Every structure is written in structure tokens, then in C-alpha cells.
Amino acid sequence: DAGVIQSPRHEVTEMGQEVTLRCKPISGHDYLFWYRQTMMRGLELLIYFNNNVPIDDSGMPEDRFSAKMPNASFSTLKIQPSEPRDSAVYFCASSDRDRGGNTEAFFGQGTRLTVV
Amino acid sequence: AQKITQTQPGMFVQEKEAVTLDCTYDTSDQSYGLFWYKQPSSGEMIFLIYQGSYDEQNATEGRYSLNFQKARKSANLVISASQLGDSAMYFCAMRDSGQNFVFGPGTRLSVLP
């Protein structure tokens, strides 16, 4: 497996524009996590899915953010409209269920978003 | 709610020496997992080591070991024989029965030649 794949790797957009980040999890993993990383706030969990269903979106900063997982192999994180304070690295990670063994989260390479 | 605390924003260690990175956690669950990740300057997140809450022995993976003290709710990472390539951010994380995966604020380790 190629691992968790995120696209694009870098995104520069103007304030007010819509931004869509994409993620392909590892095949067979039934958990998918979206994180945002900034210097000020560290690594924040935004939302996570189990079997394509959103379980906890309490970390989503505001209504401008939305995430979907239409099938087991694809998820999107959308920001509309984008603002400069959304500039960050966004990570997607996937995992199998923790069955009492070693079930770490596997991370994608991240998307570096810059909103100007 | 889960919470992970890493009280050391930055640490220095001399090459070839051992270093301990602190992590404490808070959860009301009996079953949970503790993880450590490394993030070098290139940005990727690299899994290092795992400890289950019911594991009686401390986990070890090569030069990494996890000092697990359940009663104190601590899961410190010990890196032995530090190398220059160990310079990075290190994150402690926890996964509880809700399957949530939460990270601490991280510790930046600098290995000095």
C-alpha cells in the first residue's frame, strides 16, 4: 500500500476563496482523522470518521469548515470562505480499530495551506 | 475528555547520551493506548512506539523505550544513545475506548554534537 495520500501538498489561495483538501486512506482502515498543525496551537484534531460516518467534529473551528467521507477510500476537508488564519499544515491519518494491539495512526504527508 | 500534557517545550541532549521526554495523560477509561511520534524538520509524522494500558511490561523498540507508570498516568519516552538524527519534535498521543486519537503539544529535542 502506498500509505495515506493527501493532495495537494501545497496550496496558496486568496482570502475568501474555497479550498478543498483531499485524502485517500490506507485500504482496509476504518478510521480517518483530520488534523491541523500550527505553531501556536500544535496538532489539533478537527474531525474523525468511523466507517465513513463522522463521529466527532467538535474540533472543527467554525462553520466555514466541513468534511465529508463519501466512501471508504476518499475524504475531503473544505474551507469556505478561507481566511488568513486558516494557514496551517493539514494532516490526514487513517487507522484500524484499536483491538488491544498496536494500531497506530498512519499519517499522510500533509497539505501546507497558505491563505493570503 | 482526554488530555495529554508534555511539560518540556524544548530539550537538549549530548550525542550518545540518553534523554527522557515527559508525557502525562488524563482519561477515565480503563482501556487505552499510548503512542509516541517523531516529526523531523521535513514534516512527516513517524510512529515510534506503543504502550497498551493493560501491558505489564514497558514497551521497547530499538533505542526507544516507554517508561509507563499507570498509577501516575505517565508515559515517558526514553531515547538511549542519542544521535544527531534524533533532533525533531516528539509528540505523545493517546487513543481511548472512543477510538479518538489526541496529541500533546510536543517537545522539541535538539541533539548536540
Side-chain angles (χ1 to χ4, degrees):
Chain A
D1 201 314
V4 177
I5 299 173
Q6 290 187 246
S7 63
R9 291 291 309 277
H10 302 274
E11 177 80 33
V12 180
T13 190
E14 290 185 348
M15 182 175 61
Q17 296 297 307
E18 177 180 298
V19 176
T20 299
L21 311 181
R22 296 172 174 79
C23 175
K24 177 177 169 33
I26 291 173
S27 177
H29 282 184
D30 47 12
Y31 282 83
L32 184 139
F33 306 85
W34 280 102
Y35 294 90
R36 177 173 69 175
Q37 186 176 32
T38 60
M39 289 292 292
M40 291 298 296
R41 301 178 68 90
L43 200 59
E44 303 172 273
L45 177 63
L46 301 178
I47 185 172
Y48 77 98
F49 295 83
N50 178 26
N51 291 324
N52 315 335
V53 176
I55 302 301
D56 184 354
D57 65 354
S58 59
M60 296 286 263
E62 47 197 279
D63 292 345
R64 298 184 296 107
F65 286 69
S66 62
K68 295 182 179 180
M69 192 164 186
N71 57 63
S73 59
F74 184 65
S75 177
T76 60
L77 178 67
K78 185 177 294 186
I79 308 172
Q80 165 64 16
S82 58
E83 297 182 3
R85 59 194 169 115
D86 301 331
S87 297
V89 178
Y90 291 81
F91 284 103
C92 174
S94 72
S95 173
D96 200 353
R97 182 179 182 85
D98 187 354
R99 305 175 194 280
N102 184 350
T103 50
E104 76 269 27
F106 293 80
F107 280 75
Q109 294 295 308
T111 294
R112 182 174 296 277
L113 173 66
T114 303
V115 183
V116 298
Chain B
Q2 301 165 291
K3 185 174 180 179
I4 303 289
T5 303
Q6 294 179 254
T7 58
Q8 306 153 314
M11 288 281 287
F12 291 90
V13 64
Q14 207 68 38
E15 194 178 8
K16 300 181 184 179
E17 297 293 313
V19 63
T20 298
L21 306 184
D22 294 342
C23 172
T24 57
Y25 59 91
D26 185 26
T27 180
S28 56
D29 282 2
Q30 296 301 310
S31 177
Y32 50 89
L34 297 159
F35 303 78
W36 278 91
Y37 283 78
K38 172 184 178 181
Q39 186 179 42
S41 58
S42 52
E44 70 266 34
M45 294 288 287
I46 302 168
F47 165 71
L48 296 177
I49 195 168
Y50 163 87
Q51 178 85 42
S53 59
Y54 291 116
D55 295 341
E56 294 187 351
Q57 290 193 334
N58 288 338
T60 61
E61 288 287 346
R63 294 187 298 112
Y64 305 109
S65 60
L66 202 153
N67 184 0
F68 181 46
Q69 298 188 42
K70 193 171 183 177
R72 294 186 178 183
K73 292 190 174 178
S74 74
N76 299 338
L77 177 70
V78 180
I79 305 174
S80 62
S82 297
Q83 302 172 356
L84 296 178
D86 294 335
S87 293
M89 281 290 288
Y90 288 82
F91 293 96
C92 180
M94 178 171 64
R95 190 174 197 183
D96 66 7
S97 58
Q99 302 294 320
N100 199 348
F101 220 113
V102 177
F103 285 76
T107 295
R108 182 171 296 282
L109 177 67
S110 298
V111 180
L112 305 175

